[in-house]
Amino acid sequence: MLNTAIKAARRGAAVINRASFDLDRVVVTEKQHNDFVTDVDQAAEQAIIEVLSKAYPDHAFLAEESGASANSHDENEYQWIIDPIDGTTNFIHGFPQYCISIALAHRGVVTQAVIYDPVRNDLFTATKGAGAYLNEKRIRVTKLDRISNALLGTGYVAGSARALDEYLKMYAIMGERSQGVRRAGSAALDLAYVACGRLDGFYEKGLKPWDIAAGALMITESGGIVGEFSGESDYLYKGDVIAASPKIFGQMITLLTPFA
């Protein structure tokens, strides 16, 4: 199943890479304020689903652009959770920070994960109980024990003025307590970076399952922790996420619990 997911990610990446050479021809639609979809997102998603559905015709799908497949509500044991381009705004502008995210949930538990960065040709993979890898090399979260030495990632989903105010308050607190906070624009890739130690932690509110599913498995399989702002584990569908190495996670929870 993991190999099939990798094949699907590479098929989607082929669509994205072709389009990246001529961004002026990409058709962009604004779904809501600062939330965009392109014809490339849709074509890449279709290419990914074609590969997966050919291999597993009975499996269900939950994808960012096409939503849930009809059989998702039939107590289907397997569901693929797909984001064809996480970081669409970056892609539109030619900013090289976006990825394909594919996860497989079995009876509601994510068991396989692929995050593929087509710009850097970075392939992150994870299988539940078998570890996480970057380009076939085992990865681990960092061993930092003090948030004052940590580099953190974050993101902001455009919403109300109240949500922006809350985000800025969190940013001020975390920026003051850490070495720095980066907002690169792709939550799935940020989570993969926590898994491989490029970031020491990540936090964001208002995410969707396809932003979180693959990266969360990678972090837990690389020795990290993922939870809600309260520390609970119901983050996948609530959408509020803190992810980090164990000692940094505890310190982030202490600082961010007031925003739960």
Side-chain angles (χ1 to χ4, degrees), residues 191-228:
L191 291 168
Y193 280 12
V194 173
C196 73
R198 294 176 183 174
L199 290 171
D200 302 296
F202 173 80
Y203 67 95
E204 186 169 353
K205 300 190 79 172
L207 292 170
K208 300 295 185 183
W210 46 79
D211 300 317
I212 305 167
L217 179 63
M218 286 173 192
I219 290 169
T220 56
E221 287 297 320
S222 60
I225 303 175
V226 186
E228 297 177 40

Side-chain angles (χ1 to χ4, degrees), residues 46-226:
Q46 183 178 2
I48 291 165
I49 291 175
E50 281 177 0
V51 172
L52 297 173
S53 60
K54 183 177 181 180
Y56 304 106
D58 296 330
H59 286 193
F61 294 89
L62 175 64
E64 180 176 15
E65 307 310 335
S66 57
S69 58
N71 61 341
S72 291
H73 308 292
D74 299 338
E75 297 183 359
N76 197 297
E77 286 198 342
Y78 291 96
Q79 184 182 55
W80 294 94
I81 305 171
I82 302 162
D83 193 339
I85 306 180
D86 187 61
T88 298
T89 300
N90 288 347
F91 170 73
I92 292 167
H93 290 273
F95 186 79
Q97 188 78 1
Y98 49 86
C99 68
I100 295 165
S101 178
I102 302 173
L104 176 64
H106 181 231
R107 298 178 181 173
V109 176
V110 177
T111 58
Q112 307 286 350
V114 171
I115 292 176
Y116 182 55
D117 176 350
V119 177
R120 297 171 185 81
N121 196 27
D122 277 347
L123 178 67
F124 298 86
T125 59
T127 297
K128 188 172 178 61
Y133 295 81
L134 167 55
N135 299 328
E136 300 184 356
K137 182 179 179 181
R138 186 73 181 262
I139 54 176
R140 303 290 296 179
V141 295
T142 59
K143 296 179 180 179
L144 277 184
D145 58 4
R146 298 184 63 178
I147 196 169
S148 58
N149 295 324
L151 181 65
L152 306 176
T154 190
Y156 170 65
V157 179
S160 64
R162 180 169 174 246
L164 177 59
D165 182 61
E166 183 180 59
Y167 167 77
L168 293 173
K169 287 177 180 176
M170 289 189 291
Y171 192 94
I173 291 168
M174 303 308 281
E176 183 181 355
R177 297 296 185 93
S178 67
Q179 278 195 352
V181 180
R182 303 289 182 258
R183 180 178 179 250
S186 171
L189 205 49
D190 285 342
L191 291 168
Y193 280 12
V194 173
C196 73
R198 294 176 183 174
L199 290 171
D200 302 296
F202 173 80
Y203 67 95
E204 186 169 353
K205 300 190 79 172
L207 292 170
K208 300 295 185 183
W210 46 79
D211 300 317
I212 305 167
L217 179 63
M218 286 173 192
I219 290 169
T220 56
E221 287 297 320
S222 60
I225 303 175
V226 186

